[in-house]
Structures are given as C-alpha cells and as structure tokens.
C-alpha cells in the first residue's frame, strides 16, 4: 500500500464529514454561541452560519433540536416534490457565494433557505449545492421501511398522491391508525453517490393545521399552510443528534421510549413530533469550497 492510499488527500469533503459529530454537539449551544461558531467555520466554506429553520419538534432524547422541514408541492400529475429555490449569488464576507432561498415564502413571513439542511455532513452533498441540477421529486429509496411501499413502489419511483389515497385510514399496528400515511425516500440524490433521506407523511392533521382548524399560533398556521399541500409534510430525515435516520411508525420501540405516534430515532431514543412545527435557530455548516 502506498503512502497516498493510507493517507488520502485531505479534501474538503473529508474534512466536513469528519466534523459532523462536533457540529451536532456544538449546535446545542443555541443562539448565544452562534456568533463564535460562525466565525470559526465561515472561512473554510460557503453559505453557512446562523439560520432559523422550521422543524418538526424534538420532544425527548438527546437531539439538540428538531429536524428541518422541506416545503412540499405537487405537480399537475400528483407527483410530490420538495421546493428548491432558484440559485442566486450574494456576497458574504467580501466573497461571492451561491445561495438558494426565498424571502417571505408564499406569504408565510418566513425566509426559506436551503441552509436549513446543512448539518450532519449533508453540507458536502451534491444535492444541497444551490445549483445542483436535480428535478426535486421525492423518490422511493432502497429498502423502504413500510410494507405498503415495498409492495407497491419500485426503487427510484416518484411518490404520487395516488399512493396515499387511504391516508385517512392507514395503519400498520404501530401507534394510532388514521393520522397519516408515511413513506421514506430520497431527494435531489439522482446521479450522485450522496443520498439525502427524507420522510413524507400525508395526514389529515396537517390539513387541519393548514386550514386553521387546529389550535396553533398564527405563525405556525401560516407556515404549514404555505409549505404543505394536500396534507403532505416532509422533512430531511437526519437526526440532529448524531445523524442517524429516524422513522415514523417504523419501530414498536417508539412506544417503549415515549410515544408511538412520534418519529423515533433508534440510535439514542430521540423523539420528534411531526405535527408540532417549531422555529429552530442553529448554525448551518458551510459547504466545502
Ligand atoms: S438519538 Fe442519537 S443519532 Fe438520533
């Protein structure tokens, strides 16, 4: 074995992946520490720093915050996709960088920024680069966790509203039936080795929040109304603790550790409530140059 095999080049990609654990731990310091972390990381990449995402709430376990939601829209044929803003250039610390964000997203009062997904090494993925040429559709991944998905969908197939017609009755013996039908999949991961895992639920609860029929704040209602469609809600399925891939109604252990109707991370038992949306401030990791 040559020296270069044993000690591969210290590429930006490797550097950022190695930094994942530190990033997750640091993220717990909250707003007060954000400036310090930002100045320590901004020189080695682009487009990171303090950001405030909408997230499904972390309700228990060691995760420092919720998982960031992905605004959803359906095309004319009912295919479900995540919204990705057009890339544009801006100047940060005197350097021109690309960003993908939308101010006042659909009148919600929220600036939607794809920096929300820059943690857990995802900041180095091709799909999270603002100008990555993807079609943004959610696709069924390898080995989906749900029997219905294993039986009806092939790998790479686009998720479509037709697959979720029974969302008001669906159940799989874990938690309460009739509160939504889930799928797992990928986003902006075609033609790249990096897979961005996502979880989708079509739920009557989401529709009720969007329609103002649930007791939530005006801010939450405005965001859910703007970022969901036909009851579909989605998020980047990377646990904010140490980056495992959690699941909704995938494990009976969720009930043992708290609530079978919540998203459960099997690594260290963090729980997230997919029907409780919160704003979460954290330090997005810069993308490698
Ligand atoms: S709880 Fe530790 S990785 Fe999810």
């Amino acid at each position: 074995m040559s020296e270069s095999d044993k000690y591969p080049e210290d590429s930006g990609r490797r550097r950022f992946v190695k930094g994942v654990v530190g990033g997750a731990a640091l993220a717990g310091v909250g707003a007060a520490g954000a400036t310090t972390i930002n100045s320590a990381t901004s020189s080695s990449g682009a487009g990171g720093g303090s950001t405030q995402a909408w997230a499904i709430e972390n309700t228990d376990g060691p995760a420092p915050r919720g998982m960031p939601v992905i605004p959803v829209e359906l095309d004319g044929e009912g295919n479900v996709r995540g919204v990705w803003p057009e890339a544009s250039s801006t100047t940060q610390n005197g350097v021109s960088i690309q960003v993908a964000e939308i101010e006042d997203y659909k009148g919600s009062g929220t600036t939607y920024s794809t920096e929300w997904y820059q943690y857990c090494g995802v900041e180095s993925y091709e799909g999270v680069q603002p100008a990555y040429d993807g079609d943004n559709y959610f696709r069924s991944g390898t080995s989906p966790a749900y029997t219905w998905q294993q039986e009806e969908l092939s790998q790479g197939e686009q998720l479509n509203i037709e697959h979720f017609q029974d969302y008001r009755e669906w159940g799989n013996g874990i938690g309460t039936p009739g509160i939504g039908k889930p799928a797992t999949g990928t986003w902006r991961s075609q033609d790249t080795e990096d897979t961005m895992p996502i979880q989708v639920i079509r739920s009557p609860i989401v529709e009720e929040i969007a329609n103002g029929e649930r007791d939530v704040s005006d801010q939450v209602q405005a965001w859910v109304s703007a970022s969901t469609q036909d009851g579909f809600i989605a998020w980047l399925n990377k646990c904010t603790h140490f980056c495992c891939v959690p699941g909704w109604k995938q494990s009976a252990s969720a009930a043992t550790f708290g609530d079978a109707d919540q998203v459960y991370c099997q690594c260290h038992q963090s729980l997230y409530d997919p029907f409780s949306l919160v704003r979460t401030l954290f330090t997005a990791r810069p993308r490698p140059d």
Side-chain angles (χ1 to χ4, degrees), residues 37-244:
I37 297 165
N38 193 14
S39 62
T41 57
S42 60
S43 61
S44 55
S50 185
T51 191
Q52 193 171 26
W54 278 104
I56 62 166
E57 184 182 10
N58 168 233
T59 56
D60 207 348
R65 62 179 187 274
M67 289 187 284
V69 299
I70 301 169
V72 172
E73 61 185 17
L74 274 63
D75 70 11
E77 294 171 355
N79 292 311
V80 189
R81 64 188 171 201
V83 174
W84 191 267
E86 188 114 347
S88 61
S89 294
T90 188
T91 302
Q92 197 178 71
N93 299 331
V95 179
S96 176
I97 61 162
Q98 285 208 313
V99 295
E101 61 183 30
I102 300 174
E103 280 180 35
D104 191 19
Y105 182 74
K106 293 187 177 177
S108 65
T110 292
T111 296
Y112 166 46
S113 170
T114 58
E115 291 185 351
W116 295 3
Y117 314 119
Q118 292 179 198
Y119 68 100
C120 273
V122 175
E123 66 276 3
S124 68
Y125 289 9
E126 281 186 63
V128 92
Q129 307 310 310
Y132 171 76
D133 189 17
D135 65 11
N136 299 326
Y137 285 103
F138 295 145
R139 289 182 157 79
S140 194
T142 51
S143 330
Y146 306 104
T147 306
W148 82 262
Q149 204 176 339
Q150 293 163 7
E151 292 173 350
E152 295 180 34
L153 299 182
S154 51
Q155 185 189 342
E157 189 170 342
Q158 293 178 6
L159 302 184
N160 185 283
I161 194 168
E162 287 296 323
H163 303 135
F164 297 83
Q165 294 295 359
D166 56 343
Y167 73 111
R168 291 179 178 276
E169 300 88 39
W170 186 87
N172 65 350
I174 297 175
T176 312
I179 59 173
K181 183 173 183 179
T184 54
T186 64
W187 186 42
R188 294 173 65 82
S189 303
Q190 285 181 290
D191 307 319
T192 163
E193 63 187 44
D194 305 317
T195 300
M196 289 174 67
I198 55 101
Q199 169 104 59
V200 175
I201 304 175
R202 187 183 188 199
S203 167
I205 297 174
V206 172
E207 288 178 313
E208 288 166 16
I209 297 172
N211 295 336
E213 295 162 11
R214 288 253 166 177
D215 187 17
V216 298
S217 71
D218 291 347
Q219 205 187 14
V220 168
Q221 197 260 329
W223 172 252
V224 174
S225 175
S227 65
T228 67
Q229 188 174 338
D230 292 291
F232 282 99
I233 190 169
W235 58 89
L236 182 68
N237 206 20
K238 281 267 193 189
C239 183
T240 58
H241 182 222
F242 285 157
C243 312
C244 288

Side-chain angles (χ1 to χ4, degrees), residues 62-63 239-244 246 265-270 272:
C239 183
T240 58
H241 182 222
F242 285 157
C243 312
C244 288
C265 183
Q266 71 285 357
C267 288
H268 311 97
Q269 289 74 55
S270 283
Y272 301 85

